[in-house]
Structure formats: C-alpha cells, structure tokens
C-alpha cells in the first residue's frame, strides 16, 4: 500500500525520537519548567526573530485552538473564521464548548478576504442592534489553509490592519506551518508571521513530532496562562515530552528540511497527475494536493493507494486529497505514476 | 542530587520508549483506530477480566477527569469528592469549567467514607429544597489517594453500593493505580476494580509512560464518546502515541513490575526514616511517603535531596513528601540514609 | 408620534394587569407551585389539546431558547437553525454560551426547508469524519419567523418527519405565536403545533404580557427541569407573576383576540402602503410588515412615525419594518396613510 | 392560615402595582432604555450617594448572582463565599455552570470573617502550586445573610481592605437589603455600602416588587455589560417592568418604609417567642427569625401557621424559620402568640 492519506500516520521523525531517547533519563522539573522546553523556546524565539515572545507547548491542534481562543476572547466576543476553517467544521464544537461563537465568512480557496472581514466589522458597528449580537473579537486563519493554500504577505498584512482597526486579535493556526513556509510560493517567513500575528502556533504533530504544537505569543502570553492551560486539561505533567521534540525540530533547521521534503514530494505528485492528464480541484502549493479523479480511476487506485475522498464533483468525478509528509518515500510517487 | 520530588520527572520506562521506536515508521490509522491501541485495549481488557470493556486512551490526568466527569454527568448533577480530592484542590477548576460543581465531603487520610456519602445523599433527598441544589450524580475517588492511602475491597464495595442506591456512577482516578495494586497492603485487583467501578483510569504518566492514561469503561463507553473527547481537545491525531505505550506497559506485566519496584523503594525509604527516629505524618503503603521533619533537618536535606514541602506541622516541624517511581535508583535510598 | 417600532413598547394588556391586581395579595406557594400557574397550565393544555403536556413559565425569549435548547441537547449535539434564526443572529451568543453550536442552513423568507434539513443530515451521516463534527440534535424554527412568515401544516409535518428520521427534536420559538395563529394565512392550530413539535413556546412578552413565555412539552418535560431552570437563573421566586398573566391570556380567548387585533391592524397598514404604490420586501401575513421605502420618504416619515430600518435595498431605497400589536390604535394607521 | 414561610408569597406592594398600572400604556424604548428605568437609576444613585454609579435592572437573585459573578471573574478565578452562601448552597450550581468555582470558607452566623479571608489568600499566594489552583478573584457576601445577620461597618470595611490587598472585587448580594438597612442593629447605610463594595444589588423580589433586582456598580459597569446580560437570557424586552417598580420603590422612601414594617413585625414576633419561653437558634436582627421549637409544638403550630423547618437540632427540637415582609399583617403575630 502507498500512503497519502494524511501527514500523521507515522510516528516521529527519527531525529526527534532519538532526542527523546537521549534525554529520557535526565531528571527535570515538570509542567514545562524543564531545560529542554526552555531551549526549544529560545530556538523558536530566534527563528521568529521575536526575542520577547513567550512560547507555550501544547499537545494537539484542536486543544491549542480552544485554549488560545477562549483565553483571548472576552465573554461577549466571538471569533471570525472562514466557513471551511477547521474550528468551524472539524473540531466537534470545541470553540462553542468554551462559550464562544464562530462567526463565519465566505472562504476563497480556504482563505479569508481582509476586505470582507473589514466589511463585516463595519456593518457590525453600524448596526444599532449590535449589543444583541456577538462582537467580533478575533480573526482565525489557518496557514496553510484546509485547502493547502497560502496567504501572501500582503494579504496577511491586510488582515493585521483590519484587526488593528477593529480591536481584534489575529490568530494563525499553523498546524502545517512548515509545509507553508517551505512552499515555492511562500513569501512569508517566520519573523513576518511573528510580526503580523498576535498569536500563532507552529504545528508539530503534522510535521515530524509524535505530538505537540508550539504556541507563540510574540508580545507575551496572557496573565496566568498556565492556569488556563491546566483548567483545560492541556498541561502535561511531563512538559518535556513536547519541549524535547521542538528542541530537536528547531536544531539545525530540521523542521524546515523535513517540511521541504514533503513539499517537494507534493510537487512531484502533482506533476505526475498533471502529466497523466488529470485536473486539480485547486492548485495547492503545499503538501496537500486536491486532484479530480474519474470515479473508476478512484476505485481502481484505492486498491493500492491510501488517500482521502474529499467531495463529489459531479456524477462521474470526485475531488480527492493526497497528502505528503516528512515521511513520504519519493519512490512511492513513481509507483503512483505507474498505477495511473 | 537525589530525586524524590515526584513520579514524573523522568521520561518513559526504556521498554516503553523502545516500543515507540520499533513501531515508529509503521503507517497506521489515526485518532486511536490503530492496531497498537487495539492491542493495548485487548491486553487491558484481559488484565481487568472485563471482556466487554471499552478502553480509551487520553493524555493526562486532569484531562481525563474533566472529559470523563463531564461526559457522564447531566447538567443538574455534580460530583462528590473528598476535600483533598485532586479535582477539588489541584486542577485549576477544570471540573467547574465544564459546568459542574464538586460537592466536597471530609477526607479520612485522603479517602471518602461510604457511610458519610450515604448520609449526604440521604439528607439531600430528604431536603424539600433539593431541586434548588446540585444533585449528586457521581462519586470520585482516587486510588491511591493524594496521601498514598488505599481503599480496601470492603470500602470500595461499600461505595459501590451507595452509588447503586442513589443512582450515581463511581469513578476511580487511578493516576498512580499501579503503585496501589502492587502495595503490600492492597487487597484489590484490577478485576475487582473493574467489577466495582463504573469507570476508572489506569495511570500511565506517573507509571512509566511519557504521557497517557487508559480510561476503562467496564460496561461500555458513552454514546459518541470520541466526539466528546475531540470537543475537549483531548483526541490525539496520532492516537498510537499512547496506544503503543500501553501496549508495552501491559506486555509481560511491565506495568506491575515497575510499580512494584517503586513500592519497594518507598518501603525501604520509609524504613530509613523510621530507623533514624523520624515520624510519619501518616502511614502510606504506596510510593508517596509523608515524613515529619524538624525544620533544620529539612533545610539541610534540601541541599542534596529534591522532595516536596507538604505543609507546616507546627513551629518546628514540617510535613514533607518523598515520592519513588519506576525510575528510582535503590542506591539513592542508602544515600538519603547517610545524609540523615 | 405614531408607534410601529415593535410589539413590546407598552406594558401589559389591561385585562392582564387587572388580573395581577386582583390576585396580588393572595398568598401562594413560590417557584411556580402556585394555583394561578396551575390554572394557566390547565388552560394551555386544553387549548393545545395536549392533556399530558407539561407547561413551564419563563420570563423572556432568549432565556427560553437557551434553557430549552441546552436542556435537550447532549454535549456532542448542536441545533440547526436558519441563518436568520433569532438564536443565530440576535441573542448575543446565548446558545454558544451553553456550549452548543448553532448549525446554520439557508433561509427562505425566514424559513427552513425540510428537504434541505434532510439533505444536511444525510450528508452528515454519510461523512466518514462526522465524529469530528457537531451532531445535529435539534431543529429550531420560529413561527412566525423573523420575517413574519408562516410554516404551513405540510411544511411543519415535513420538518417533524425529518426530525424523526434523524433522531432530532423539533423546537418552535413562538415569541409571536398568537400573531401567527390568527393570521388569515395560517393553516396551523395550537393542537397541530402540539402534535408536530417536541417542544414549543407560546410567547407572552410580545403578545400582551408584561413579560413571560409558556414553554409547552406535549409529551412531558425533561427530568429535573426545574433544577435546570434554576441553574440558568430563570426560576422566578414569584412564579405567579407569569402564571397569573397566562391565566388571564388563556381566559375567554384573550390571547387569540388580541393577536387577531394586531393582525388586522397589520393587514390594514399593508393595504395603505400598497394603495400608495409602495412595494413590500416580502408579503408577511402577520404583525410585522416589511416595506420598501424610497430614502426620502423614509426620512420624512421618521419625523412622525417610529419604525425600524431593516436593511438598505439599493442606493435609493431601504427595507423598513412596521410592527403592530395588541396595543395598536387603528386610528394610527389612518394617520400613517395621511403622512404618505 | 397565618403566613411566615417566606417574603415572596404575595405579589407586589400595592403602590408598586399602581405605578405599573399608571404607566402601562406609555410607549417607551425597550431593553431598559426607557424613561422609568432612567428615573429609577437616578433615584438609586441619589440614595447611594454615588453619582457615577451604573444601575442595571435584572429579574431575580440567582440570575443576578450568575450574571455579575461571571462578568467580573476571569476564567482562572473563582469566588470566595461562606459555606452557607446562597450561591454555594441553593442556586443549583448556577455559578459553576458559568465555569467558576465557589471557594468556600467557614461561616459565622452566615458571615465571612475578613481575617479568615485574608489568611486564605495569604496561604494561596504562599503556595508554590497555586498556578494549579483556582485564583480567588472575588468575595461574595450576602447582607443580610442567609441567617438574617448583618455585617457591621467595621466588618465590611475589613473585607473591603482584604479585597484591595489581594486584587479581588467585593460583591454584596442584597436580596433582602432593605430588611438589613432598616434593622435596629444596622450601622451601614446605602452610601456606606456603595463606598465599600465594588458591586452590590438592591433586592426587589423579596422587598415589595413582583420581580426585579437593581444591580449597582458604584464605579461603572463592565464593558458591554448589556451584551453579557443578553447572553445569559437576562435582558427583558420590556425593561420598564423592573424599572417602573424600582422607580416606585425609591419614591418617597417606600423601599425603606416597607422594609421597616417587616423588621418591626419580626421584632414583635421574636418578642412573642421569647416571652413564651422559646429559645432562638441565633439572634437575627432582620426579617428572618430562627426559633427552636419542641417537635410537638412544631407539629401543632403547623396546622395554623406556615413557616419553614430549617434543620433538626436534636431528637426533640427543631430549628424553624419565620419570615416577615412588607405584607405581614401585625394582627397575625398576635394570633401566633395565642397559638403558642
């Protein structure tokens, strides 16, 4: 079987696991006060060119979203997201469970449009009944998006500006951030993101870690954030578990190297499909590829290749998703080619 | 430095880490549907003699408590716990965050008394204003307790009976369950616990895992529990991470062997203190020892030994806590002896 | 000034206030256990032809919505509503505050389409990732809708059927129910509604009461519902306050008579606008009329008439809302006519 | 039957109902923006000598407690209350439903002791594990307490000081505030309370209104408080309903006169019991009297008098509660005397 189902079907990148093994018997303080977490924080600050940043390590994406969003919103506020935003569609109502509404706007290949966000806020503040409505307190974006697409620096800056204008925080869900940063089409660097977001996270689970996300607050974390983390059951007793992994990922550029590997594999896979005459649903520049397959091809391919059925396109064709990762074997792409 | 501060200051037991390494590149299904989690579930069912049990793997203790308690309580219900219960004292209000009150009763060396629970419920249902109060819907106990003490089989059976009488579920927090099961004083086995609790968890974080707890529902889990887990941000994309670890812990009795190691170390440490003429605050039969130290001894010992200050006893003496684990080096106990 | 701004700008219908005065010094049990509430419940059961129904009196519409919806949904479930549904648009996130997502579908003159609800559920249960999503647990409709429109009996029956098919409860927000029942276009009676809804409320605040809504559970209320009501701060110590009012409203058909008065006034007002050559935004058969006014007419009329600006239609015209009520003086409609 | 069961078994004081009737057909703005609410706010500001105060009208006590407490606490904070505090004992977990823990301290005739609050906070901030615990963010007191007792000015000032020292807000539940202010033993005035509390409410439901409480924020209300009120379903469309009642209550000192009436009746009732040789459980200076009755007297009296059984005292005697109100007929006290 060839695996392109998701970027979390293997364990950790071997170097990450090696680092866990090397440090395993060192006795350290718990709850994230360990030296490995501190080292990882230093390295992430440096990579972000954000010397004042606080970095907090959490375990998974939905957990990170709910902890960060509920910590930053006040009770009368909600969070703006694209309709396809992960928090709106695939987190089982985790944000609403914390008491906050997800305010949806149309998506454009998975992205929010800053002008539409501005128009929404303008209309909101012009509405005389606004005190009976949920105030927009935050803008949530994912980068890459659920469709693998990327914000340009200009687009991100425009969102940042509209957030400043209407007193909202800008939060980037970076579950696959590495795959975005290393895309050929990316014009955003980590320091750019740290300068243009109030908070974002660098995804580990989908980029080489067993589990773990690094939340970056470029201008410092909220008061008593550790207590908030604990309250959500998100504080690991052995904080080292995530700290060590990010220490490894941010040593010698590992995070970027393995992300680049996945992007190159995705590019190669895309080339294979195009060459064989298949169409793309949209042109993703990152590790998720959305390919339109005739249903009979889909059925045949399923026998040897694991991938996702995204949505039906019409009676004969289906949108499918193929995902590469740090673990993708380049040989498997050649094999897909032979199967088409 | 000699370390007795807690049972979560090292990584994982080497056999656990080895198993993570061996299985690392196997491609599996995500969100807990992997073969390693399935194997771990089978082994835990067998160890519990509970063939119908559902086993769900979560990441940490507070997370497990809040997910399980909120999943099982209805909105008008709260959970009875000892005043010293972890959910009441040291979980940053995680249970209340889910909307439920912790109803406290007196503790007896950390334990709830079944007769007092019964009396509480009797008074509750006799109170004409009870509909204005929080209904007792669950009894929470920890075993071992926060003081390292153990319920006897008779005590657990009595709690089970009072729960049946008043329509409550009985939930055991087994963060340190292994250390309880392997205590010289334990008359409870895993099958006993599975027979006498509606739900309990087998702690991994404090008993040899990097992270992870195995929640056991002897009679099956609640409807759509996976969605509830996801909603709390507690669903690992790589569910294998905890599954593999419990697979290792429940292979060849590893969980029990390493727990026994810690209990023996604790027994040896207790003997050292008693021999040197120190008193115990209470006589714990598990891996946490509560020793009364004169303040000057405490100050001196702190230079070479890491342990916790529990509470002042009087002007001259302090209650301290020394914790052993699977990682405790027996030689360190001899060294403590020499320092006293 | 002529008032058409809303149906809650006066106090209570005089007969309601008279009944409050007559009964004022009678000493009764508190928290809804009084004889007036019991009488009101009996009369409402009779009017609904639902002898097994439980009737619970609450204070306002948003309160009723949040109490009922959170009481009936389980934690993994959300509530389907039209985009324009009051719970989605104008309740300040009250439903989300209770932890539940509002799942929005398109509106058709304010109404949900049963076929679309069915398609949504079918797609949901066909989605392999549905356990990561919010389960549809209830359908919320308002009748009349926010646009004053009405469901036909066939439409309500179709919604009822789709709810049965997918295990959802059907809840009708009847804030303006009287104005719907007494519309010329209504083919739904109270007994029909009681037969086709799992729960609904008969609005009092907008139909002649000082405050108060009567929640009807045709097949009985949830277990310990009074405790749930109390928990939301929705239990009046003097339950009589709402009970007496509904007793008056359901004596000698008062509720229906005053509702009919408002509908006739609305019909007359609509006729005035049409006669003067103005267009309707949509043809509402109840007490809310949505009229398209040229902006200069709007500005002129505002000097003498209170009404709501609903939304701009184009550069020159605006959608406005005129609302009649039990308190509308027919003479005021003639006066509007003279102003146009 | 003679009624001493509670102070909410009749409707409104006749002058209050009269004012509702007089103003009934005046057309006003909704949601509390009406002229009657504004007048009531002005009168309350004057009575409190707090010209900057914001006054918000809500419907009931539990509702007020949950709205105010959840609006002022941050997510990592809880509220300190006496064990017998209404929010801890008799509000069905309403505070916990909003996500906040009630932190209980011992009661002294229903009161909190400022020294104990200080000691609690000192211990909290000295605890190295405090970040795993709920931060004390507010102190809740009721005045009069659940036992009818009163804080002295010195006691209130001491609580105020400890709140300043530890960054907590001081909140007074004044469900029966009038009966406290008009007690012979009160040395606190409304201006004193406004100077020494961050927020408090003046109870209407138990002091002559149909329903309603006036929340006073001497230094201004929280940002977007109306939205918070709406979110909890606590915003009346006809805000006038409570506004008019408080306008009446604070006209010509009505609130104080009717409170004094109840206190005098309570004093007379207490004198009757003492004269007949019965003991008090505690000496309440307000409208609730706690009398110890032999069980046979209790049984006999129950035939003609409505009162509450508070708690058993011993095998032969019971603590009972007799409550007077603005509605108590002095003749009924003479009748009780004849029955003893």
């Amino acid at each position: 079987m060839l695996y392109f189902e998701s970027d979390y079907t293997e364990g950790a990148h071997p170097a990450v696991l090696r680092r866990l093994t090397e440090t395993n018997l060192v006795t350290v303080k718990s709850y994230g006060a360990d030296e490995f977490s501190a080292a990882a924080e230093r390295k992430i600050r440096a990579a972000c060119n954000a010397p004042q940043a606080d970095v907090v390590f959490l375990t998974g994406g939905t957990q990170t979203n709910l902890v960060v969003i509920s910590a930053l919103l006040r009770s009368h506020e909600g969070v703006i997201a694209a309709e396809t935003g992960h928090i709106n569609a695939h987190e089982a109502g985790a944000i609403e469970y914390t008491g906050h509404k997800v305010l949806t706007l149309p998506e454009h290949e998975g992205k929010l449009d800053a002008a539409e966000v501005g128009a929404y806020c303008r209309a909101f503040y012009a509405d005389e009944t606004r005190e009976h409505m949920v105030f927009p307190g935050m803008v949530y974006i994912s980068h890459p998006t659920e469709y693998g697409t990327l914000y340009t620096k200009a687009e991100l800056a425009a969102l940042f500006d509209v957030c400043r204008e209407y007193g909202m925080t800008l939060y980037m869900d970076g579950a696959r951030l590495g795959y975005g940063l290393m895309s050929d089409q990316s014009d955003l660097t980590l320091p750019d993101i740290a300068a243009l977001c109030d908070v974002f996270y660098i995804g580990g689970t989908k980029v080489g870690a067993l589990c773990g996300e690094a939340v970056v607050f470029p201008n410092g974390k909220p008061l008593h954030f550790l207590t908030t983390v604990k309250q959500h059951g998100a504080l690991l007793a052995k904080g080292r578990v995530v700290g060590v992994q990010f220490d490894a990922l941010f040593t010698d550029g590992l995070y970027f190297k393995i992300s680049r590997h996945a992007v190159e594999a995705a590019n190669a896979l895309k080339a294979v499909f195009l060459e064989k005459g298949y169409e793309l649903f949209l042109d993703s520049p990152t590790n998720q590829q959305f390919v339109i397959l005739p249903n009979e091809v889909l059925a045949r391919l399923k026998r040897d290749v694991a991938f996702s059925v995204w949505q039906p396109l019409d009676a004969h064709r289906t949108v499918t998703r193929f995902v590469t990762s740090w673990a993708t074997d380049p040989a498997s792409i050649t094999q897909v080619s032979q199967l088409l």
Side-chain angles (χ1 to χ4, degrees), chain A:
Chain A
M1 203 70 175
L2 306 170
Y3 293 101
F4 296 93
E5 193 145 22
S6 77
D7 33 20
Y8 40 87
T9 48
E10 286 80 26
H13 186 277
V16 168
L17 205 48
R18 205 153 48 229
R19 188 77 181 127
L20 278 171
T21 307
E22 285 165 11
T23 59
N24 187 48
L25 293 179
V26 181
T27 301
V28 298
K29 288 195 186 305
S30 41
Y31 300 115
D34 62 279
E35 62 211 60
F36 306 117
S37 297
E41 183 178 42
R42 278 195 306 274
K43 289 172 184 174
I44 289 173
R45 278 178 183 152
C48 294
N49 194 21
Q52 311 299 324
D54 284 326
V55 182
V56 178
F57 299 104
L58 296 175
T59 314
T62 296
Q63 180 182 84
T64 300
N65 288 337
L66 77 88
V67 169
V68 169
I69 292 173
S70 69
L72 293 181
L73 291 181
R74 287 168 299 174
S75 74
H76 64 288
E77 296 176 334
V79 53
I80 292 176
E83 275 177 38
T84 46
H86 206 256
I87 56 169
N88 189 49
H90 281 95
E91 299 194 352
I95 303 307
E96 289 84 0
Y97 189 84
T98 71
H100 297 283
K101 192 176 187 70
V102 179
L103 305 162
T104 52
L105 287 180
E107 56 89 18
H108 305 280
E109 298 199 333
K111 294 193 281 181
L112 280 176
D113 178 81
E116 289 177 3
V117 174
Y120 179 88
C121 293
R122 207 150 37 246
F124 177 86
Y125 285 102
D127 190 329
E128 288 183 5
T129 69
R130 68 180 171 278
E131 288 196 299
H132 295 240
M133 296 160 72
V134 176
F135 280 67
M138 177 187 273
V139 171
Y140 164 95
I141 56 174
S142 43
H143 182 86
T145 67
E146 285 68 22
Y147 281 119
T149 52
L150 293 174
Y151 287 88
T152 64
K153 190 167 175 179
E155 288 169 341
L156 187 61
L159 282 167
F160 178 78
D161 288 345
V162 77
C163 285
R164 287 305 79 86
E165 187 175 353
Y166 291 104
M168 302 183 290
T169 48
L170 180 55
Y171 169 44
M172 178 186 282
D173 175 337
R176 295 186 167 101
L177 190 56
Y179 303 130
L181 291 168
M182 301 313 290
S183 163
D184 300 323
Q185 282 184 27
S186 173
D187 73 343
L188 276 171
T189 63
L190 259 187
D192 290 337
I193 290 170
L196 292 173
C197 292
D198 296 292
V199 53
F200 64 100
Y201 80 85
I202 302 172
T205 300
K206 292 172 178 166
V207 193
L210 285 177
C211 63
E213 324 298 328
V215 187
V216 183
F217 295 95
N219 307 306
K221 64 188 169 190
L223 191 68
H224 298 305
F225 189 65
L226 188 137
T227 304
T228 301
V229 170
K230 177 82 180 176
Q231 190 173 59
H232 287 95
L235 187 65
L236 286 182
K238 295 179 179 170
R240 70 194 291 156
V241 171
V242 181
V244 166
Q245 294 184 81
F246 271 94
D247 188 18
L249 287 168
F250 278 80
T251 297
D252 298 333
L254 181 65
Y255 189 76
F256 304 100
K257 281 179 210 161
I258 66 180
S259 295
R260 182 62 196 166
H261 170 88
V263 169
E264 288 176 358
N267 288 347
L269 188 65
K270 183 196 302 194
V272 161
F273 279 111
L274 291 175
E275 190 180 297
K276 298 279 181 178
Y278 296 102
E279 275 180 89
L280 303 175
F281 179 61
L282 50 73
D283 190 5
S284 157
T286 62
N287 74 317
Q288 300 183 82
Q289 295 299 320
F290 296 85
V291 184
I292 298 170
L293 291 184
N295 292 348
E296 70 278 8
V297 177
L298 186 156
R300 180 158 47 79
L301 212 56
K302 271 280 177 190
R303 290 199 291 265
D304 301 297
V305 187
F307 58 94
S308 303
V309 169
W310 201 251
Q311 58 186 64
L313 185 68
D314 55 33
H316 309 292
R317 297 177 302 167
T318 298
V319 181
T320 61
R321 187 186 71 158
F322 291 76
V323 185
T324 63
S325 78
W326 58 271
T328 302
D329 179 357
S332 64
I333 293 162
T334 316
Q335 292 173 276
V336 169
S337 173
Q338 289 157 356
L339 289 165
L340 284 172

